[in-house]
Amino acid sequence: MGRHGEGAPSATALIAAAGSGERLGREGAKALVELAGRPMLEWSLRAFAEATGVGAAVVAAPPGGEEGFRGAVTVPDGLELRIVAGGAMRSESVATALAAVDEATDFVAVHDAARPLVTPELIDELVEALAGHPDAAGVVAAAAVTDTVKRARERARGGDLAVEATESRDRLWAAQTPQVFRAAALRDALAADPRRLAEATDDAWLVEQDGGTVLIHPSPPENLKVTTPFDLRVAGLLLAGRRSG
């Protein structure tokens, strides 16, 4: 069961799950690729079900694949789940999921199904952080950049890349999900300029472009994104470690 508490801030999860498993070497939807004995998506659903601040979730599935998702995923106790058709672009999927959310909802937590190691604790921390800052439009999970970052340029001969500059990493953070927003702020940002949807690399950027303040909240190292077969193996090992621990 979820750990929902009376008086706690409440959010609806919007889970982008319309991507394909091609880069993982799998056919079909990436979110349904098996990970540690469950469809990948199910790990995120379990985390949101156990979070105090979330009672419902909307999953954006590949267009036409909604019924397949309903049959493949076991809905955890304590979580109201709705599955809708996603779009060709990630931001379109988020917009479609948001359209299915009740207008009275205060907060939405946007998450990628490809980050299956998200924890209930991180979700609650993000929701509580936004609730505690009325001047902010959103808050994102992020990891401080620890590698030295080089900006590259293409050499005139041969097309090889060369270092153009070394960037200071003092204030650099790698944005992840979940990203929690005031529902009205995200709705406005998605509708402000449709051309931005094609440019957006994450939803926080859209809110920033619309003038909203977005906070940063440090995420744990294991909140990795599954993109390659190597990532899938690492995620499986980490989930096995959680079970044994």
Side-chain angles (χ1 to χ4, degrees):
M1 293 291 289
R3 300 180 287 110
H4 311 293
E6 293 185 7
S10 180
T12 295
L14 310 180
I15 304 180
S20 74
E22 184 177 352
R23 292 180 68 182
L24 288 176
R26 309 293 177 91
E27 295 183 356
K30 180 179 181 179
L32 298 184
V33 169
E34 184 174 319
L35 173 62
R38 301 178 184 276
M40 190 186 306
L41 170 63
E42 205 167 299
W43 291 105
S44 292
L45 293 178
R46 288 162 66 90
F48 280 106
E50 292 173 11
T52 301
V54 178
V58 182
V59 171
E66 300 95 313
E67 288 303 318
F69 268 57
R70 291 186 185 97
V73 175
T74 300
V75 183
D77 291 341
L79 188 70
E80 178 185 337
L81 179 64
R82 184 172 180 182
I83 299 175
V84 299
M89 295 182 295
R90 184 183 179 284
S91 293
E92 290 178 344
S93 293
V94 173
T96 300
L98 182 59
V101 174
D102 191 295
E103 289 283 343
T105 301
D106 291 326
F107 298 151
V108 289
V110 180
H111 187 59
D112 293 323
R115 291 192 187 272
L117 282 95
V118 62
T119 64
E121 293 77 16
L122 177 59
I123 296 165
D124 283 336
E125 288 168 7
L126 290 162
V127 174
E128 290 164 8
L130 185 56
H133 291 82
D135 60 324
V139 56
V140 302
V145 172
T146 56
D147 293 327
T148 298
V149 178
K150 305 285 188 181
R151 185 168 69 246
R153 62 177 173 80
E154 188 171 304
R155 299 181 66 188
R157 297 178 182 178
D160 295 332
L161 294 176
V163 173
E164 182 175 79
T166 299
E167 306 287 353
S168 171
R169 63 190 181 196
D170 291 347
R171 296 186 180 182
L172 294 181
W173 291 75
Q176 303 178 350
T177 63
Q179 299 187 351
V180 179
F181 303 100
R182 299 187 189 280
L186 181 58
R187 194 174 285 114
D188 289 346
L190 286 166
D193 184 350
R195 292 173 299 179
R196 289 182 187 163
L197 298 184
E199 302 175 38
T201 54
D202 73 345
D203 302 287
W205 181 83
L206 291 170
V207 173
E208 294 159 27
Q209 293 297 305
D210 205 39
T213 297
V214 178
L215 307 176
I216 287 176
H217 183 84
S219 62
E222 65 269 21
N223 190 37
L224 60 83
K225 185 175 183 179
V226 174
T227 303
T228 67
F230 175 79
D231 300 329
L232 190 67
R233 290 194 296 271
V234 171
L237 290 171
L238 290 170
L239 287 168
R242 283 185 186 177
R243 285 174 165 178
S244 62

